[in-house]
C-alpha cells in the first residue's frame, strides 16, 4: 500500500503522524512511504532520518496527498486541505467531527473513507489512540494553567505551590479519566490543593487510594461543580463522551461568580468544550477573558510538545496503521471491532452514531459498510 504523511498546517502544530521507526516498519512489510519535506522538523526529525528508514521525500502537500492510498495525519484537515480530499482516499487522523460541521460535509461530499483516532474503541470502552494525547494534554494543563496565573500573563499573580506561610492554589479537575488523572498527578506534584470530580465512583475510589487522601474526590453533579468552582483558582475541564460533543458543565453565570483572575483550561475544546464560553484558541493567542476569568482553550495542546507527542502517538497508532496497510481497511476492520468503531465516514455516508446525531445526518451502520 502507498502510505503518505503530509506536513501539518494547523496553527503552531508541530507534530507529525509517523516516526522513522514507523516508516521502517511499513517498508519492511513491503509498503511505500512518502513523507512531505520538512514534515518532521517541528518534532526534531529531519528528512534524512526518514530517508534512512526507507521513505521517499515529496516536495509539497499536493504531491504528498496525491501519492496516498492511506494518508496519515495528526490533526483534522483544515479548509486549505479540502481540495486534496478524494473518493479513493483512506484518511486516518484525529477528526473530532461532532464539533466540525464543515469538515464533516467535505468528507461526505468527497466520499472519503475517514477513520478517526479518537473513536477507535476497545470493548472495555478504552480509547487507545486518544489516550497518549490525553496523557500529554492532561499533564500540560496544570503547567499552562500555572503559567496563565502569572500576573504578566493576565492571571492573579498566584504561585501554585505557594511558599511556607501562604496557601497553595486550589485546583479543580472536572473528569477523572485519562486526561483528568494526569492533570491530577501533575497538580499534586506542583503542590496544589487538588479536588477532582467525576460521576464514576469507582474511579474516584482509585484516585483516593492512589493519593492516600491527598486529593479531594467528589461525586460530580451541578451542585458540587458550583461549590468547588466558587473557591477555585484553576479549573481543568477534561470531560469526554467518545465521538460526541462535550457536555457544557460550567455556565457563564457560574464563571461570573468565580474568583476574579481564576484560570479555566478546557482540554475538551476540540470536542466543543465543557465550559459554556469555550471557543478554540491557538498557541499563538491561547487565552481570552470572561467575567475577569482567563480561559485557555488551545485545541491542539499536545502540539506544544511535539517531540514527546509524536513518539507517543506513533507508538499507539502503528499497530492499526500496519493492519490497514497489510490487510486493507475493510478487512482490517472486519478482523478488529475496535478499529471498525473508528470509521466515521465512507462513500458519502456517516457511520459514527455520535457524529450523525450531532449534525442531524442519517446514520449508515458500520456493519452494512463492511458486508
Amino acid at each position: 500500500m502507498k502510505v503518505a504523511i503530509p506536513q501539518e498546517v494547523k496553527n503552531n502544530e508541530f507534530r507529525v503522524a509517523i516516526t522513522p521507526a514507523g516508516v521502517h516498519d511499513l517498508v519492511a512489510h513491503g509498503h511505500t512511504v512518502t513523507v512531505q519535506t520538512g514534515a518532521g522538523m517541528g518534532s526534531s526529525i529531519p528528512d534524512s532520518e526518514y530517508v534512512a528508514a526507507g521513505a521517499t521525500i515529496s516536495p509539497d502537500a499536493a504531491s504528498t496527498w496525491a501519492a496516498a492510498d492511506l494518508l496519515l495525519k495528526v490533526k483534522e484537515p483544515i479548509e486549505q486541505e479540502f481540495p486534496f480530499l478524494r473518493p479513493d482516499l483512506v484518511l486516518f487522523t484525529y477528526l473530532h467531527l461532532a464539533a466540525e460541521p464543515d469538515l464533516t460535509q467535505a468528507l461526505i461530499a468527497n466520499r472519503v473513507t475517514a477513520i478517526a483516532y479518537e473513536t477507535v474503541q476497545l470493548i472495555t470502552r478504552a480509547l487507545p489512540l486518544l489516550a497518549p494525547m490525553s496523557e500529554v494534554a492532561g499533564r500540560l494543563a496544570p503547567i499552562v494553567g500555572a503559567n496563565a496565573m502569572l500576573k504578566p500573563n493576565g492571571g492573579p499573580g498566584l504561585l501554585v505551590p505557594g511558599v511556607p506561610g501562604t496557601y497553595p492554589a486550589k485546583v479543580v479537575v472536572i473528569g477523572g479519566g485519562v486526561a483528568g488523572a494526569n492533570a491530577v498527578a501533575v497538580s499534586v506534584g506542583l503542590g496544589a490543593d487538588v479536588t477532582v470530580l467525576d460521576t464514576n465512583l469507582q474511579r474516584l475510589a482509585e484516585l483516593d487510594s492512589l493519593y492516600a487522601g491527598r486529593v479531594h474526590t467528589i461525586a460530580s453533579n451541578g451542585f458540587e461543580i458550583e461549590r468547588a468552582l466558587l473557591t477555585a483558582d484553576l479549573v481543568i475541564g477534561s470531560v469526554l463522551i467518545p465521538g460526541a460533543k462535550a457536555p457544557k458543565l460550567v455556565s457563564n453565570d457560574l464563571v461570573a461568580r468565580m474568583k476574579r483572575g481564576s484560570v479555566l483550561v478546557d482540554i475538551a475544546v476540540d470536542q466543543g468544550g465543557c465550559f459554556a464560553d469555550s471557543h478554540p484558541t491557538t498557541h499563538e493567542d491561547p487565552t481570552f477573558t470572561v467575567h475577569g476569568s482567563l480561559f485557555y482553550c488551545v485545541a491542539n495542546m499536545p502540539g506544544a510538545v511535539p517531540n514527546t507527542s509524536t513518539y507517543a502517538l506513533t507508538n499507539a497508532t502503528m499497530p492499526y496503521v500496519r493492519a490497514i496497510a497489510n490487510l486493507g481497511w475493510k478487512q482490517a476492520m472486519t478482523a478488529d471491532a475496535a478499529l471498525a468503531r473508528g470509521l466515521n465516514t465512507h462513500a458519502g455516508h456517516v457511520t459514527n452514531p455520535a457524529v450523525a446525531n450531532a449534525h442531524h445526518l442519517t446514520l449508515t451502520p458500520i456493519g452494512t459498510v463492511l458486508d
Side-chain angles (χ1 to χ4, degrees), residues 157-183:
L158 183 66
L159 181 65
V160 171
V163 295
T166 70
Y167 290 104
K170 291 187 176 181
V171 177
V172 175
V173 180
I174 306 175
V178 175
N182 279 273

Side-chain angles (χ1 to χ4, degrees), residues 34-50:
T34 301
V35 178
Q36 183 180 343
T37 185
M41 289 304 294
S43 296
S44 303
I45 306 173
D47 290 350
S48 59
E49 292 191 21
Y50 286 118

Side-chain angles (χ1 to χ4, degrees), residues 145-307:
N147 185 61
M149 282 197 287
L150 301 179
K151 196 67 175 179
N153 296 333
L158 183 66
L159 181 65
V160 171
V163 295
T166 70
Y167 290 104
K170 291 187 176 181
V171 177
V172 175
V173 180
I174 306 175
V178 175
N182 279 273
V184 167
V186 172
S187 298
V188 170
L190 288 173
D193 179 355
V194 182
T195 297
V196 57
L197 299 105
D198 199 288
T199 57
N200 186 332
L201 296 182
Q202 180 180 347
R203 185 62 179 144
L204 293 178
E206 292 169 354
L207 291 168
D208 180 73
S209 176
L210 180 63
Y211 293 102
R214 293 172 61 202
V215 170
H216 310 292
T217 55
I218 306 296
S220 184
N221 54 58
F223 178 87
E224 294 293 355
I225 289 174
E226 178 174 333
R227 183 178 178 182
L229 265 59
L230 289 178
T231 60
D233 298 302
L234 170 61
V235 179
I236 298 170
S238 58
V239 181
L240 174 71
I241 300 174
K245 282 190 174 182
K248 300 292 187 181
L249 300 180
V250 179
S251 67
N252 178 276
D253 173 69
L254 178 52
V255 173
R257 291 182 286 131
M258 290 177 62
K259 287 183 181 178
R260 187 168 185 83
S262 55
V263 174
L264 296 91
V265 178
D266 197 340
I267 296 175
V269 70
D270 52 9
Q271 289 288 92
C274 58
F275 309 146
D277 294 292
S278 291
H279 63 76
T281 61
T282 67
H283 290 290
E284 266 183 6
D285 188 16
T287 61
F288 58 92
T289 303
V290 178
H291 295 307
S293 292
L294 201 62
F295 277 57
Y296 181 102
C297 298
V298 175
N300 59 329
M301 286 178 63
V305 285
N307 189 279

Side-chain angles (χ1 to χ4, degrees), residues 12-34:
N12 278 284
E13 179 53 72
F14 301 112
R15 290 173 290 180
V16 63
I18 203 167
T19 61
V23 170
H24 182 271
D25 183 297
L26 290 172
V27 171
H29 283 85
H31 308 293
T32 62
V33 180
T34 301

Side-chain angles (χ1 to χ4, degrees), residues 344-366:
N344 278 213
T345 69
H346 170 67
H349 302 287
V350 175
T351 56
N352 180 277
V355 174
N357 182 63
H359 302 306
H360 309 291
L361 298 169
T362 300
L363 174 68
T364 297
I366 292 175

